[in-house]
Amino acid sequence: MAPRALAKQTNAEMPDVVSDLEILIGYNMKRAYVAIQKDFRAALGEGGLSPRTFSALSLVVAHPNISQSSLARLLGIERSGLVAIIDELERRNYLTRSHVPGDRRVQALVATHEGNAAYQATLATVQAHEERLLATLSATEKHTLMQILIKIRLTDKEDI
Amino acid sequence: MAPRALAKQTNAEMPDVVSDLEILIGYNMKRAYVAIQKDFRAALGEGGLSPRTFSALSLVVAHPNISQSSLARLLGIERSGLVAIIDELERRNYLTRSHVPGDRRVQALVATHEGNAAYQATLATVQAHEERLLATLSATEKHTLMQILIKIRLTDKEDI
DNA sequence: CGCATATTGTTAATCAGGTAAACAGTTTTG
DNA sequence: CAAAACTGTTTACCTGATTAACAATATGCG
């Protein structure tokens, strides 16, 4: 088995077998996610929400009065990491931190009218981006993919 | 539709519907990848290779004498970002940068004997980690998943 | 009651992974 | 031969995330 010669031109190398990476699900999942994320950001444009900020807003809209601790847990990140995300959403006037009567530690998060509107518009854009990007997948494939992704998520005992 | 009351106890909140995120493939793909990556690192332990360093080593083993530019392209990252990865592999004595006769710019990457051995051992560990983590998936599901991930990868025109 | 323990939001330091821009040295091309 | 292109590299920077500490507040229990 002779060693492959050094390819000088990038377009001259289209190897039949790239490496063992080809059969590793983790590697291909990362590459697929990077492709999705890139398209997500392109779809939302320059001043758009980042994936994580969009996710946080989505959960606040779905769970009015949620605390930051609970939200961090749903997102699977640390409380400390959430602060900057909520700061941004507050700066955009998409939500408010409001003190709750019973407990002076927590600050209930509530989406503003503007935040709700921006969320609905962004959600539509995100759904359009996924439909366009994943147009080559059949409805069955998308459904199967979701089922599998959720199964994998749940192997992490910290998830949800 | 009354707003949900603020849940004070984390274990008291197990909402039937979390948010629209539930039906977004991008979000679930990220969560699934995070789970896989976490298990990958746990499987390889403290002094183990990171996913990206393992990937780079895999490609060097599969493509002896590859240049850093070509390798970066295969990995889908910038040349500049690869330098630190190759530095680490060289520090571990897993590969060598050797000058090639024809072109004094490029440095051909070649895995050492030690690097090959470490790679084979690590690959076995990684495969065991995936088999264990994805034990709930049938062979058909794994196969379908790989096909779909590759389809999604290829929506990125920069890929491969 | 009072004290230990726990929780909430926050800051600060740090890390991993990655990009973009510039650069010197070296081909390649018109 | 001059202009353009390519290679590896450094530097500065960015995003996303973690850990450790902290003050304020709440809860549990003897």
Side-chain angles (χ1 to χ4, degrees):
Chain A
M1 198 157 313
R4 196 176 298 242
L6 177 64
K8 288 190 179 181
Q9 309 274 44
T10 34
N11 59 7
E13 83 208 356
M14 193 70 91
D16 30 343
V17 169
V18 173
S19 84
D20 304 298
L21 297 181
E22 267 183 359
I23 60 159
L24 291 180
I25 287 176
Y27 182 73
N28 286 281
M29 178 109 50
K30 174 168 188 180
R31 298 295 297 259
Y33 176 63
V34 167
I36 294 179
Q37 211 209 29
K38 191 192 290 187
D39 194 77
F40 179 109
R41 291 180 191 277
L44 265 55
E46 191 66 22
L49 297 175
S50 63
R52 67 179 196 159
T53 310
F54 170 75
S55 300
L57 180 56
S58 176
L59 288 166
V60 172
V61 167
H63 302 283
N65 292 304
I66 194 172
S67 69
Q68 287 185 209
S69 281
S70 299
L71 179 54
R73 189 159 162 280
L74 285 182
L75 286 169
I77 64 175
E78 294 297 317
R79 288 189 328 284
S80 58
L82 186 58
V83 175
I85 300 172
I86 300 302
D87 283 351
E88 182 195 339
L89 287 170
E90 200 178 35
R91 209 180 316 120
R92 287 177 183 255
N93 294 315
Y94 285 180
L95 58 74
T96 58
R97 289 163 154 120
S98 59
H99 278 287
V100 354
D103 192 328
R104 273 183 295 182
R105 293 170 303 181
V106 306
Q107 297 180 183
L109 305 175
V110 183
T112 61
H113 183 72
E114 190 181 349
N116 264 285
Y119 173 65
Q120 295 303 333
T122 305
L123 175 61
T125 306
V126 170
Q127 283 174 333
H129 124 78
E130 285 210 351
E131 266 181 50
R132 182 179 22 75
L133 189 75
L134 306 177
T136 57
L137 302 185
S138 69
T140 313
E141 280 179 315
K142 288 185 203 173
H143 184 250
T144 307
L145 176 58
M146 280 297 301
Q147 280 186 314
I148 296 176
L149 292 179
I150 289 169
K151 264 198 205 178
I152 296 178
R153 278 185 61 171
L154 297 183
T155 63
D156 184 353
K157 63 180 184 305
E158 318 265 311
D159 198 296
I160 296 185
Chain B
M1 196 146 331
R4 197 175 299 241
L6 177 64
K8 288 190 178 180
Q9 309 275 41
T10 33
N11 59 7
E13 82 206 0
M14 193 69 92
D16 28 345
V17 169
V18 173
S19 83
D20 305 299
L21 297 180
E22 267 182 0
I23 60 160
L24 292 180
I25 287 177
Y27 183 73
N28 285 281
M29 177 108 52
K30 173 167 189 180
R31 297 295 296 259
Y33 175 64
V34 166
I36 294 179
Q37 210 210 30
K38 190 192 287 187
D39 194 77
F40 179 109
R41 291 180 191 276
L44 264 54
E46 191 66 23
L49 297 175
S50 61
R52 66 178 197 162
T53 311
F54 170 76
S55 300
L57 180 56
S58 177
L59 287 166
V60 171
V61 167
H63 302 282
N65 290 305
I66 194 173
S67 69
Q68 288 185 209
S69 281
S70 300
L71 179 54
R73 189 160 163 281
L74 285 181
L75 286 169
I77 64 175
E78 294 298 315
R79 286 185 337 279
S80 58
L82 186 58
V83 175
I85 300 173
I86 300 302
D87 283 350
E88 181 194 340
L89 287 170
E90 198 178 38
R91 210 179 315 119
R92 287 178 185 255
N93 293 316
Y94 285 179
L95 57 73
T96 57
R97 289 163 153 118
S98 60
H99 278 286
V100 352
D103 192 328
R104 274 184 293 182
R105 293 170 302 179
V106 305
Q107 297 180 183
L109 303 175
V110 183
T112 62
H113 183 72
E114 190 181 349
N116 265 285
Y119 173 66
Q120 295 304 333
T122 304
L123 176 60
T125 306
V126 170
Q127 283 173 333
H129 124 78
E130 286 210 350
E131 267 181 46
R132 182 178 24 75
L133 189 76
L134 306 178
T136 57
L137 302 185
S138 69
T140 312
E141 282 180 315
K142 288 186 204 174
H143 184 249
T144 307
L145 176 58
M146 279 296 302
Q147 280 186 314
I148 295 176
L149 292 179
I150 289 169
K151 263 198 206 178
I152 296 177
R153 278 186 62 171
L154 297 184
T155 62
D156 184 352
K157 62 182 186 302
E158 318 265 310
D159 198 297
I160 294 185

